[in-house]
Amino acid sequence: MKNGLYIVATPIGNLGDMSPRAIEVLKEADVVACEDTRVTKKLFSLLGISLHKTFITLHDHNEDEQAQKIIDCVLAGQSVAQVSDAGSPLISDPGYKLIKKCKEAGIYITTLPGCCALISALQLSGLPTNRFMFVGFIPNKDKARTDLFAKYKNLDATLIFYETAPRLLKTLTVAKDVFGNREMSVAREISKVYEECQTASAEDLIEFYTQNPPKGEMVFMVAPAAEEEIRQEIDLDAVLKDKLAKVSLKTAVKEIVETYGLNKNEVYEQALRIKNAN
């Protein structure tokens, strides 16, 4: 196997989702970079892969120093497989700094696609999939949670978050206040025996999970803002006047449409009226 870094996705629940190609790379790799050696060695045992290789821990607190160690392994002619505890590495998991440093060092990098909880959850949700934004884990503090939701409230895209069972009801309560009656979805136990994806209003989801306390980690999703909802939240005249004082009409329209997801022709006509009135 060519020396370099191999980014390998692992199952998020069902062992059968591990691809033959990924298994082969894990078998042949000289070094395995992982978050928790206990979790990864258990996976190797289940897959029948020998543990007689070098395991290097790679997590948020040691990525800088371990990245150089991994680069040194590759430069010495070894192949390194990077895995996370579950799913696709780098997605709300360590690895970004490692990849950046490897690219700077001119090291061969490839990815072996596979399971990713946010994509699987979106597929199950029934929410719009043409445009989405993965925001990551939801903060634990009340104000930070509210501020995060408010920041993306007017985005014309399905919002995807990671959340844990003990905080779900609190998150749904805040989501109800911020997002109102939009459809929301909670997916959990993806690819496992008790896989579940509930899509409903926040109020209905609160009722369901009050009666059926969830367990484990989950994916929480919120439908995109409707155009009417966005219009109510912004003073388009004020925003246009501010933009037109700084940039050209074409640029102002483009930036506002992209930021707020509004109809381009309508914003352009309003911008023309404002400009011609001055």
Side-chain angles (χ1 to χ4, degrees):
M1 190 165 75
K2 182 177 179 179
N3 64 307
L5 179 67
Y6 296 76
I7 306 167
V8 184
T10 55
I12 57 177
N14 193 316
L15 195 64
D17 292 334
M18 192 75 181
S19 75
R21 178 174 169 233
I23 292 174
E24 191 63 27
V25 165
L26 294 183
K27 284 181 178 179
E28 294 188 16
D30 301 303
V31 178
V32 177
C34 55
E35 291 180 84
D36 188 327
T37 56
R38 295 166 300 179
V39 173
T40 301
K41 286 181 178 180
K42 180 180 179 181
L43 174 65
F44 273 44
S45 296
L46 290 171
L47 293 171
I49 300 175
S50 171
L51 298 178
H52 290 90
K53 55 181 78 235
T54 302
F55 288 83
I56 296 177
T57 57
L58 180 75
H59 49 69
D60 290 332
H61 304 295
N62 72 357
E63 189 172 352
D64 281 323
E65 59 186 80
Q66 296 294 66
Q68 188 56 53
K69 183 183 293 186
I70 291 168
I71 289 171
D72 291 342
C73 289
V74 175
L75 294 177
Q78 294 182 307
S79 57
V80 180
Q82 181 198 354
V83 299
S84 61
D85 286 347
S88 295
L90 283 82
I91 309 301
S92 275
D93 279 324
Y96 152 71
K97 294 177 182 177
L98 169 62
I99 302 304
K100 183 176 176 59
K101 289 178 181 293
C102 283
K103 290 181 79 67
E104 290 171 350
I107 284 174
Y108 170 73
I109 305 170
T110 189
T111 180
L112 284 73
C115 297
C116 182
L118 74 93
I119 297 299
S120 299
L122 182 62
Q123 292 169 328
L124 291 170
S125 69
L127 299 179
T129 58
N130 60 314
R131 188 183 298 112
F132 62 90
M133 179 172 183
F134 175 57
V135 185
F137 281 99
I138 297 172
N140 189 30
K141 301 291 185 181
D142 291 342
K143 184 178 186 306
R145 183 190 290 107
T146 302
D147 289 346
L148 180 70
F149 287 170
K151 180 178 180 179
Y152 297 107
K153 177 181 178 181
N154 294 323
L155 198 65
D156 181 23
T158 296
L159 303 176
I160 306 176
F161 307 87
Y162 284 165
E163 185 54 290
T164 60
R167 304 198 308 230
L168 180 62
L169 285 174
K170 184 176 286 188
T171 286
L172 287 170
T173 300
V174 175
K176 179 184 175 183
D177 292 337
V178 176
F179 299 112
N181 294 321
R182 285 192 219 173
E183 268 198 318
M184 302 178 192
S185 188
V186 177
R188 54 183 294 274
E189 296 293 290
I190 298 172
S191 80
K192 301 178 185 178
V193 174
Y194 298 106
E195 178 180 280
E196 171 185 271
C197 186
Q198 297 289 331
T199 300
S201 66
E203 187 173 346
D204 288 342
L205 289 173
I206 290 170
E207 181 179 354
F208 177 83
Y209 286 111
T210 298
Q211 297 175 5
N212 304 275
K215 295 180 181 179
E217 293 187 351
M218 54 206 64
V219 184
F220 173 56
M221 295 156 282
V222 181
E227 188 170 320
E228 297 75 19
E229 186 178 352
I230 297 173
R231 284 183 175 280
Q232 292 174 3
E233 289 292 328
I234 66 168
D235 183 340
L236 183 56
D237 276 7
V239 173
L240 276 169
K241 287 176 182 176
D242 181 63
K243 284 285 185 185
L244 290 170
K246 303 172 183 175
V247 297
S248 68
L249 185 144
K250 182 178 179 181
T251 301
V253 171
K254 181 176 182 294
E255 290 180 356
I256 291 172
V257 167
E258 290 178 351
T259 301
Y260 298 101
L262 299 175
N263 182 281
K264 181 178 179 180
N265 291 333
E266 293 181 8
V267 175
Y268 184 77
E269 290 175 3
Q270 184 71 358
L272 276 178
R273 283 195 290 269
I274 292 173
K275 188 165 185 178
N276 291 336
N278 294 333

